[in-house]
Amino acid sequence: MTGAPDRPAARLSRVTRRFGKAAVPALDQVSLQIRAGRMTGLVGPDGAGKTTMIRLLAGLLDPDEGEVEVLGSPAVSADRSRIGYMPQRFGLYEDLTVIENLRLYARLRGLAAESRQQRFDRLLDFTDLRRFQSRLAGNLSGGMKQKLGLACALVETPDLLLLDEPGVGVDPLSRRELWGMVQQLLTDGIAVLWSTAYLDEAAQCDEVFLLNEGRLIYGGPPQDLTREAEGATYRLAAQGLARRQLLSRLADREEVRDATIQGAALRLLMAPGAPPPSGALAVPPRFEDAFVARMGGGPGGRSALAESYPEVPDTGAPAIEAEGLTRRFGSFTAASDIRFTVPRGEIFGLLGPNGAGKSTTFKMLCGLLHPSAGRGRVAGHDLGHARAAARQSLGYMAQKFSLYGDLSVRQNLSFFAGVYGLAGAGRRRAMERMTEIFHLGPYLKQNAGGLPLGVRQRLSLACAVMHEPPVLFLDEPTSGVDPIVRREFWTHINGLVQRGVTVLVTTHFMEEAEYCDRILVIYRAEQIALGSPDQLKAEAAGTGGLSDPTLEDAFVALIEARETAVGRAGAAA
Amino acid sequence: MGGRLWAMIVKELWAILRDPRGRIILVVPPLMQLFVLGFATTLEVKNTAIGIYDRDGGAASIEIAQRIVGSPNIRAVLPLYSEAEARAAIDRQKVVAVVSFADGFSADLAAGRPAQVQGIFDGRKSNAAQIMSGYLSTIIAGYGAELAGQTASFSTVTVHWFNPNLQYLWFTMPGLVVIITTISGLGLTAQSVARERELGSFSQLLVSPLRLSEILIGKIVPPMLVGAFNATLYLVLISQLFGVPLTGSVPFFYVSLVLYLLALAGVGLLISSVSQTQQQAFLGMFFASVLAILLSGYASPVENMPLWLRVVTEAVPTRHFLVVSEGVFLKDMPIADLWANSWPMVLIAAVTLPAAALLFRARME
Amino acid sequence: MRFARFPALLIKEFRQILRDPSALLIAFVLPIILLFLFGYAISFDIRQVKIGVALQDDGAPAQSLATAYRTSRWFEVTQAHELAELEPDLIAGHLRGIVVIPADFSARLEAGDREVTIQVITDGAQPNTASFVANYVEGVRATWARAWAEDHGQVRPAVLSFVPRFWFNAELTSRDFLVPGAIAVVMAMIGTLLTALVVAREWERGTMEALLATPVGMAELLASKVLPYFLLGLGSMAMCTTLAVTLFDVPFRGSALGLGALSMAFLMPALGQGLWISAITKNQFVASQLALVLGFLPSMMLSGFVFEIASMPAPVRAVTYIVPARYLVPSLQTVFVVGDIWPMFWRAIGVLLLFGLGFFLLAIRATKRRVA
């Protein structure tokens, strides 16, 4: 390896980069150093400047001000054969096979022919892609694409490895595997920059740079930041609906800086020196606690939306029912015999790796897909016979921002009000209420597409709940947003549930899953576990022998257990 | 139902009109097309150059040459001095035709012996060659008759109805109303759904209580309004600015226009429903426009096509609407004839619209 | 090891062409369809025009003249007694002209009255057909009049006559020059579209970003994009030529060398334009729109392929000078129906290569080694 260990592999000094006429620079006077042999995390919400920084380091952008130095020379003229770069969408040629992609990048990076085969062997074993080497990259699963992307960045052992959000849109299982692989590389003395929106990943890095709105708000070992929340974090057990009411109350208190639901308990971050509520047990702080504290604490617990929302009458009937939902595409079964019922006023989560069938199930329940067999009901309306009535009673928020980006905020609101049958004075009132509740006033005339992420998030929710549906469908509602926006969002959901609204949510974020009353885990088209977050953790603790597992540990353990069970059954047969 | 449909239509109109750039795109490029295409897509033969190879140099050949120079359709006359030069001038397309007089031409003529003027034409430009040949033979025949001091035994009086001076612009302009309306109309409908699919807002529509029929009607009404607006603009411009007479029933033109736009919307929606992306929709729309232009009779007359292709053109709504447009502008066509060229569009719309709806339903998942 | 990169990029590009059907579709299927359309749908060969003859006179000469129209190969005649019977068909567009033979025609002709006339009314809404009808009605009349005069001993020798000859295309089949023109338009379009899409696709899928982060040079990258599509374009040209000669019976009087040289020269501006478009758009959707607006439309409208450039007004004529296809169309028509006329070809090749160079320079300027 080149260079003394104390010499940084890359260095930014007072770098500023603007795009177009944007008022806020994408990066604003950022200085930092990336060192060899360390996992350096680059953390921040979407739009914080992570990708800009990585592209600057890869020599794909020029800084407006300041200097970017990589491996001892300016980034734009650095020796590119010594830099491994995996862009956000992996940079793979989808119509080339696994091995063809590897060969291409090997030759482009100038890897000597004689050492090529040996290197490929190592990478194929390392990524466990040997079985798939003649498969087209486009036909790989998301997790496998990622591994191949990594392998392509590693064809020649680089001195600096830049990974742009390798974990985005990928399930926890694949994320863990990738993390493990990159960890191994560190022993070779490579400098790794790993950008992520997941704070739990950041916490495991050797060093972390926290970006927000283009500014570096923290740089150093994550433990140092975590320590700032030392002695201020507590856990307060509470059950059922009571914990939601408790959350609303506590989050509103001056001395509570942050409150979230974690299964059958609340996690609290108290202001320095403030006494915890009675019954709360002290727990070790997490990176996220410190992050939220740095950002000025979480939002209050009151939801103006919930307060003006009509109480959903309790008819005694379940709000969502899935009776043996099955969907086949040709010979492939995407979802098989999914059954569950969700009572009124519950948050129900769908979890599973990519491609396991949770989106298929979700789509069947909101009427986007017809089941091949089985039935679904929403608010008592059969999706087969009473589609219009079923649709009128559900609110839907898609994974990607899917409102009309080229219409103004007001036009979006007006359209969705009209589509759900609100007219005249009713529509005007609904629009005014949404504008007030979600603080959309200053943005009414702006195009929805150009809004800051957090505002877009609020607008999406506003459009989904404007007609006051008794059931809400949320498809990965907060991926990519910062923890504060996520808390605001869940404050509203939390409040709505107290008014009797039922919520079905899919997510890869375990913090989101913790808000659920019950979770259904789907794997390989089948439901493999159903229970509250704590039940799932307990189940995993039993089978996996883990002590005090996180929900993510539980998720991984459940899937691995299933995998071995299937493997054993296969071997027995 | 009314409220939802209204909301859908209003939203589509916003989507088209909100962006100031979008509003400009809606009007300015079509206007440019009207001007550029109006003048560029001409099959007239004007401003041509011809060569004269005069081995005679007598009074008669000079007189004929002078008359050719004086012809309004000929821009330049190139004197040529050898066979090889004449050949090269045609080969390299310096001239479309060479008029050649043999040695002793004037003498023969003066003596009352038969004399020939030879014309050599560039067959690569068969259209121009043919028309130029007509011009030249008229000039020469006229001179011959004068020489003989007599008119022919009897003659033909030609009257061009609807367009007395055969101005080409009178043909292109009513045609361009149709062509440009087609391009903008197809473009808007073909893009609309594909765009929503790509941006992800389509699923948002599908989970709402909107019915399929409401979505589709919402998608076709605004492009039809835009089409009607553009057509009106051209109607005024062409009759006022370009002086093309507007002789027929304007109300019926609108009836026919609505039918045409409906048929077109059906085609646009069909393209949109089979396209996964905006790009595919664009290529589909492009292809459909080329088809419409070529088979409408605008680029070249339908009568010239082989029989099987003429049968195919019956299914092209543009072909029918072109007759209506010409009829209303130039011919003061009676309603019965206009209707005879309009009902096929009803039939086409009755096939394409339900087909698009069916395809949509099938591809909604 | 530097030399391993270019072949690697080339191999990648060829693999992609073979695996992704869209490139082959654009290069081979699209031209076939377009050629078919242009070959059959556009034709200036008027086969038989439908006209009416209003025969208001029962006399023998009038009958004979009407028969002359009926038997002419240029017309399909509907005969009637009164003009009023035929007028609605002219308005409806079922007839493109009406010949009126007046009631006193035979009597006056036989009396030697030179003032007698027949009338032809044309459908001026279709100016080209109208002048065709006027010319050929007059032609039939002249032939008939001479024959009648001979029969009646009033022969006068035709002193002055005009003998037209049409070189290269004696039959004046418009297809012979339309199909080569169509090939030029098709090549302009696919050449531009192909490269515009493939480079934009790299940007869109994020692979360009990954490539730029490797040591690959810009020149290598652009060359690896041009070469495969250059070969594909030549293949497509060969196919179009075969189709033109076999299916549409267009003569091919030039040499393969001439055609090859012209095609290669023309592919330069076409591919260069595509490269430039994709470099400035980086988006397949916008790239395909621009490719058609800048590649196809001008080639179709302003190249002289269908519409006479000489007849356009001066400003439009000025624009045609920056349309590369304008230089190819005459040469391509020549290599098919005339033969090799090298002085003409050299000029065209020179201009096309200059255009190509211009576009490549633009493309290189627009393709920076930065993402932004």
Side-chain angles (χ1 to χ4, degrees):
Chain A
M1 287 294 96
T2 51
D6 56 332
R7 189 163 160 219
R11 198 162 57 83
L12 271 73
S13 37
R14 306 185 68 78
V15 168
T16 298
R17 170 76 204 203
R18 280 187 179 75
F19 288 103
K21 282 177 252 158
V24 187
L27 278 184
D28 192 1
Q29 298 284 316
V30 172
S31 304
L32 54 82
Q33 294 188 345
I34 298 163
R35 291 176 193 284
R38 295 212 194 166
M39 184 74 125
T40 306
L42 184 60
V43 196
D46 280 7
K50 302 194 293 287
T51 298
T52 306
M53 184 187 290
I54 289 193
R55 285 177 170 173
L56 281 166
L57 287 166
L60 297 172
L61 278 178
D62 293 309
D64 291 335
E65 292 164 36
E67 280 163 38
V68 184
E69 194 188 289
V70 172
L71 305 171
S73 48
V76 287
S77 54
D79 180 0
R80 283 162 208 267
S81 57
R82 288 168 60 200
I83 303 170
Y85 170 50
M86 178 163 127
Q88 224 168 64
R89 282 166 297 166
F90 322 135
L92 297 174
Y93 287 94
E94 306 225 320
D95 32 21
L96 297 188
T97 63
V98 169
I99 193 75
E100 284 165 356
N101 266 296
L102 277 176
R103 273 196 209 120
L104 172 67
Y105 280 103
R107 295 178 75 177
L108 291 182
R109 290 189 177 280
L111 184 65
E114 48 277 17
S115 54
R116 225 175 271 163
Q117 196 50 50
Q118 192 193 351
R119 185 77 195 161
F120 290 168
D121 283 340
R122 226 192 112 194
L123 286 170
L124 288 172
D125 289 336
F126 180 56
T127 53
D128 199 21
L129 285 171
R130 186 176 287 284
R131 285 171 295 157
F132 306 108
Q133 56 173 302
S134 55
R135 189 181 283 195
L136 293 185
N139 296 341
L140 297 176
S141 75
M144 291 200 286
K145 272 185 199 161
Q146 224 151 22
K147 289 181 201 160
L148 178 58
L150 182 65
C152 288
L154 291 174
V155 276
E156 174 144 79
T157 311
D159 294 338
L160 173 64
L161 181 61
L162 305 167
L163 303 169
D164 195 0
E165 299 218 32
V168 81
V170 175
D171 59 83
L173 198 64
S174 309
R175 237 166 55 213
R176 278 197 175 189
E177 283 181 10
L178 199 69
W179 180 268
M181 285 167 53
V182 175
Q183 283 290 330
Q184 283 184 38
L185 296 170
L186 293 173
T187 51
D188 296 345
I190 296 180
V192 178
L193 184 67
W194 172 295
S195 104
T196 180
Y198 293 91
L199 293 174
D200 51 342
E201 279 180 0
Q204 297 173 48
C205 292
D206 298 317
E207 194 156 27
V208 154
F209 294 105
L210 207 55
L211 281 178
N212 195 43
E213 291 179 348
R215 288 171 179 276
L216 187 65
I217 57 174
Y218 173 78
Q223 299 78 2
D224 289 0
L225 186 68
T226 308
R227 214 167 292 133
E228 289 180 6
E230 194 96 59
T233 48
Y234 296 90
R235 186 185 158 91
L236 184 61
Q239 288 289 343
L241 201 57
R243 76 188 194 284
R244 301 196 188 282
Q245 286 157 354
L246 195 58
L247 176 75
S248 303
R249 267 209 323 277
L250 287 178
D252 247 5
R253 286 210 205 150
E254 196 65 33
E255 70 274 21
V256 178
R257 304 198 65 184
D258 185 26
T260 51
I261 289 181
Q262 276 204 322
L266 299 184
R267 188 181 173 85
L268 301 173
L269 173 68
M270 304 303 292
S278 62
L281 300 169
V283 285
R286 290 185 182 174
F287 186 74
E288 183 168 337
D289 297 320
F291 178 86
V292 170
R294 277 264 174 137
M295 303 278 284
R302 277 185 55 218
S303 161
L305 172 67
E307 281 164 15
S308 70
Y309 212 83
E311 178 87 19
V312 176
D314 190 355
T315 57
I320 303 171
E321 288 169 90
E323 291 178 17
L325 283 176
T326 301
R327 173 70 200 204
R328 286 179 285 269
F329 295 99
S331 62
F332 170 70
T333 305
S336 164
D337 196 28
I338 306 290
R339 7 184 119 244
F340 59 86
T341 55
V342 186
R344 168 189 171 275
E346 189 177 287
I347 301 181
F348 190 85
L350 289 179
L351 253 63
N354 291 337
K358 66 178 189 317
S359 303
T360 308
T361 306
F362 186 83
K363 282 182 180 161
M364 283 193 280
L365 279 168
C366 57
L368 284 172
L369 265 183
H370 287 290
S372 311
R375 302 203 309 174
R377 268 195 217 98
V378 172
H381 304 293
D382 191 300
L383 284 161
H385 309 130
R387 288 168 77 105
R391 285 179 184 163
Q392 184 70 37
S393 52
L394 67 85
Y396 171 85
M397 217 175 123
Q399 182 177 353
K400 282 192 310 184
F401 174 73
S402 63
L403 303 180
Y404 295 94
D406 44 10
L407 296 189
S408 71
V409 169
R410 186 201 298 277
Q411 286 168 337
N412 268 295
L413 287 172
S414 167
F415 171 63
F416 283 100
V419 158
Y420 285 97
L422 297 174
R427 167 175 352 193
R428 227 177 16 254
R429 262 201 311 279
M431 286 171 62
E432 275 163 16
R433 214 180 63 236
M434 289 302 138
T435 309
E436 200 186 303
I437 291 171
F438 292 104
H439 313 292
L440 296 172
Y443 305 102
L444 278 179
K445 286 187 178 159
Q446 282 186 35
N447 275 12
L451 296 174
L453 205 69
V455 182
R456 261 199 279 182
Q457 179 76 18
R458 302 206 296 260
L459 178 62
S460 293
L461 183 60
C463 291
V465 299
M466 220 170 177
H467 62 294
E468 298 170 344
V471 179
L472 270 180
F473 281 74
L474 310 172
D475 192 4
E476 302 199 23
T478 63
S479 67
V481 305
D482 69 51
I484 309 296
V485 174
R486 180 173 309 133
R487 278 163 178 69
E488 267 172 29
F489 180 83
W490 280 97
T491 301
H492 288 304
I493 301 301
N494 203 36
L496 290 179
V497 169
Q498 291 173 52
R499 308 290 288 180
V501 173
T502 311
V503 177
L504 183 75
V505 58
T506 71
T507 184
H508 281 322
F509 274 90
M510 290 305 141
E511 302 95 280
E512 258 177 12
E514 294 275 12
Y515 280 92
C516 296
D517 292 296
R518 283 188 304 149
I519 290 172
L520 178 73
V521 181
I522 300 181
Y523 183 59
R524 295 201 169 160
E526 286 173 25
Q527 55 188 79
I528 61 167
L530 173 63
S532 70
D534 290 314
Q535 282 169 336
L536 294 186
K537 285 180 209 166
E539 196 176 321
T543 56
L546 301 162
S547 67
D548 190 21
T550 63
L551 191 51
E552 183 171 313
D553 295 332
F555 174 79
V556 172
L558 280 167
I559 284 176
E560 278 169 352
R562 178 70 172 192
E563 191 82 309
T564 45
V566 170
R568 227 179 291 127
Chain B
M1 150 93 197
R4 285 199 304 261
L5 179 57
W6 182 243
M8 185 72 201
I9 291 175
V10 170
K11 184 221 88 178
E12 288 296 317
L13 274 178
W14 276 333
I16 296 174
L17 298 176
R18 169 161 172 80
D19 184 10
R21 245 189 12 212
R23 287 195 294 263
I24 292 171
I25 285 175
L26 230 44
V27 180
V28 174
L31 274 182
M32 279 169 55
Q33 286 168 348
L34 187 72
F35 279 88
V36 174
L37 296 184
F39 291 110
T41 60
T42 173
L43 292 170
E44 267 178 304
V45 177
K46 289 191 301 198
N47 302 323
T48 31
I50 69 163
I52 291 185
Y53 177 33
D54 188 358
R55 274 166 296 184
D56 176 54
S61 65
I62 290 173
E63 173 62 24
I64 292 177
Q66 226 114 60
R67 291 186 182 205
I68 291 173
V69 174
S71 158
N73 296 306
I74 292 166
R75 175 174 49 90
V77 170
L78 194 68
L80 300 165
Y81 301 102
S82 71
E83 193 87 40
E85 216 183 342
R87 168 167 286 276
I90 290 214
D91 276 354
R92 295 191 207 170
Q93 301 200 327
K94 291 218 171 76
V95 296
V96 173
V98 172
V99 177
S100 137
F101 302 96
D103 198 8
F105 169 80
S106 300
D108 283 347
L109 213 51
R113 290 190 295 272
Q116 279 188 348
V117 182
Q118 271 208 351
I120 301 163
F121 295 87
D122 182 357
R124 280 168 290 184
K125 301 193 160 194
S126 70
N127 189 44
Q130 224 169 342
I131 291 170
M132 192 46 68
S133 159
Y135 290 151
L136 291 176
S137 87
T138 311
I139 292 173
I140 291 161
Y143 180 66
E146 267 175 46
L147 274 188
Q150 65 200 16
T151 53
S153 62
F154 70 98
S155 59
T156 316
V157 176
T158 305
V159 182
H160 300 296
W161 277 10
F162 319 128
N163 182 2
N165 299 317
L166 290 190
Q167 295 186 54
Y168 213 80
L169 215 59
W170 288 24
F171 166 75
T172 45
M173 285 296 163
L176 282 177
V177 178
V178 178
I179 300 298
I180 297 173
T181 312
T182 307
I183 294 174
S184 71
L186 266 183
L188 284 175
T189 34
Q191 286 307 326
S192 60
V193 180
R195 190 175 145 78
E196 289 219 25
R197 251 202 203 118
E198 203 165 295
L199 296 179
S201 50
F202 200 55
S203 60
Q204 193 78 253
L205 286 186
L206 292 182
V207 296
S208 77
L210 280 167
R211 284 171 225 278
L212 180 66
S213 59
E214 290 165 342
I215 295 179
L216 293 185
I217 295 173
K219 288 281 170 200
I220 60 179
V221 169
M224 284 178 69
L225 290 177
V226 172
F229 171 79
N230 274 346
T232 307
L233 188 65
Y234 304 144
L235 214 61
V236 173
L237 268 182
I238 290 172
S239 56
Q240 301 309 312
L241 192 67
F242 293 96
V244 179
L246 186 58
T247 58
S249 158
V250 174
F252 197 90
F253 176 82
Y254 278 96
V255 171
S256 195
L257 177 68
V258 169
L259 296 178
Y260 178 61
L261 290 172
L262 270 177
L264 209 60
V267 178
L269 279 183
L270 266 178
I271 295 171
S272 221
S273 62
V274 293
S275 313
Q276 295 284 15
T277 60
Q278 288 191 69
Q279 195 200 336
Q280 288 174 2
F282 174 73
L283 289 177
M285 168 253 154
F286 161 74
F287 203 67
S289 311
V290 170
L291 214 67
I293 295 171
L294 292 185
L295 297 182
S296 64
Y298 177 75
S300 84
V302 175
E303 291 114 288
N304 296 1
M305 298 174 193
L307 180 66
W308 63 268
L309 203 57
R310 265 179 286 163
V311 174
V312 173
T313 62
E314 294 292 340
V316 178
T318 318
R319 182 224 152 126
H320 302 285
F321 190 53
L322 193 70
V323 178
V324 172
S325 177
E326 261 172 21
V328 170
F329 266 100
L330 303 176
K331 292 183 165 180
D332 189 14
M333 206 180 245
I335 301 291
D337 283 333
L338 292 176
W339 175 244
N341 286 293
S342 297
W343 67 258
M345 299 191 283
V346 179
L347 221 61
I348 295 167
V351 173
T352 52
L353 285 172
L358 278 177
L359 252 165
F360 257 113
R361 194 177 290 281
R363 291 181 39 107
M364 257 184 345
E365 303 187 341
Chain C
M1 274 331 292
R2 199 184 176 291
F3 302 110
R5 288 201 303 253
F6 186 59
L9 285 171
L10 273 186
I11 292 170
K12 178 217 93 184
E13 208 64 43
F14 277 114
R15 282 212 174 100
Q16 284 191 294
I17 291 175
L18 292 179
R19 297 221 175 110
D20 175 13
S22 70
L24 292 177
L25 217 65
I26 291 177
F28 294 106
V29 180
L30 197 63
I32 295 182
I33 298 174
L34 285 175
L35 215 54
F36 253 89
L37 271 176
F38 283 119
Y40 285 115
I42 301 192
S43 161
F44 299 114
D45 310 341
I46 298 171
R47 281 157 228 264
Q48 270 200 320
V49 187
K50 290 184 177 156
I51 61 164
V53 172
L55 184 58
Q56 297 167 346
D57 182 4
D58 293 331
Q63 294 286 355
S64 159
L65 179 58
T67 309
Y69 284 109
R70 270 208 308 279
T71 52
S72 159
R73 58 179 279 229
W74 304 109
F75 299 120
E76 188 185 324
V77 171
T78 308
Q79 195 169 313
H81 195 69
E82 289 304 323
L83 174 59
E85 295 169 51
L86 297 168
E87 271 179 11
D89 282 335
L90 188 71
I91 295 173
H94 300 146
L95 297 179
R96 294 297 178 200
I98 302 172
V99 178
V100 184
I101 303 176
D104 54 358
F105 176 79
S106 302
R108 289 175 67 182
L109 190 70
E110 279 168 340
D113 179 355
R114 294 197 200 288
E115 301 293 299
V116 67
T117 55
I118 62 169
Q119 194 188 24
V120 54
I121 301 166
T122 70
D123 178 356
Q126 304 266 341
N128 265 30
T129 314
S131 29
F132 176 91
V133 169
N135 284 337
Y136 283 84
V137 164
E138 165 61 16
V140 170
R141 181 210 60 81
T143 316
W144 182 86
R146 184 163 309 133
W148 191 82
E150 277 173 21
D151 288 351
H152 293 74
Q154 302 178 3
V155 191
R156 260 181 307 269
V159 180
L160 180 58
S161 58
F162 180 60
V163 187
R165 278 196 296 147
F166 297 96
W167 278 4
F168 319 130
N169 184 1
E171 308 265 290
L172 286 180
T173 329
S174 60
R175 191 183 278 171
D176 282 5
F177 74 96
L178 282 175
V179 169
I183 294 180
V185 173
V186 168
M187 295 309 295
M189 188 183 104
I190 63 164
T192 310
L193 196 58
L194 276 174
T195 34
L197 288 182
V198 289
V199 185
R201 185 176 62 192
E202 297 246 10
W203 281 110
E204 227 170 54
R205 297 197 182 160
T207 47
M208 190 59 108
E209 211 179 318
L211 278 187
L212 290 181
T214 70
V216 70
M218 265 345 276
E220 285 175 300
L221 194 59
L222 290 186
S224 77
K225 286 288 170 194
V226 170
L227 193 60
Y229 294 97
F230 179 74
L231 295 178
L232 208 60
L234 283 183
S236 174
M237 180 62 116
M239 185 198 69
C240 288
T241 306
T242 316
L243 218 59
V245 173
T246 54
L247 191 71
F248 293 110
D249 288 323
V250 177
F252 186 75
R253 303 203 174 98
S255 65
L257 186 69
L259 178 69
L262 285 169
S263 318
M264 289 186 204
F266 182 65
L267 281 170
M268 290 301 153
L271 297 174
Q273 194 179 33
L275 217 52
W276 173 62
I277 288 173
S278 65
I280 56 173
T281 62
K282 300 182 179 176
N283 169 303
Q284 291 194 74
F285 176 51
V286 183
S288 61
Q289 277 181 313
L290 272 183
L292 291 179
V293 170
L294 298 178
F296 178 77
L297 282 184
S299 307
M300 162 120 179
M301 301 292 177
L302 303 177
S303 67
F305 145 57
V306 182
F307 306 108
E308 277 299 319
I309 292 177
S311 309
M312 297 171 189
V316 180
R317 223 162 40 220
V319 176
T320 64
Y321 285 98
I322 54 165
V323 178
R326 177 202 210 277
Y327 303 93
L328 177 67
V329 167
S331 293
L332 208 55
Q333 287 172 342
T334 303
V335 83
F336 272 91
V337 300
V338 181
D340 289 352
I341 299 181
W342 282 102
M344 182 181 190
F345 294 175
W346 284 130
R347 187 173 158 265
I349 289 172
V351 175
L352 290 173
L353 289 179
L354 266 178
F355 268 101
L357 187 70
F359 277 123
F360 279 114
L361 288 179
L362 279 176
I364 290 170
R365 252 194 62 183
T367 319
K368 300 216 184 73
R369 209 184 171 107
R370 305 286 183 269
V371 286

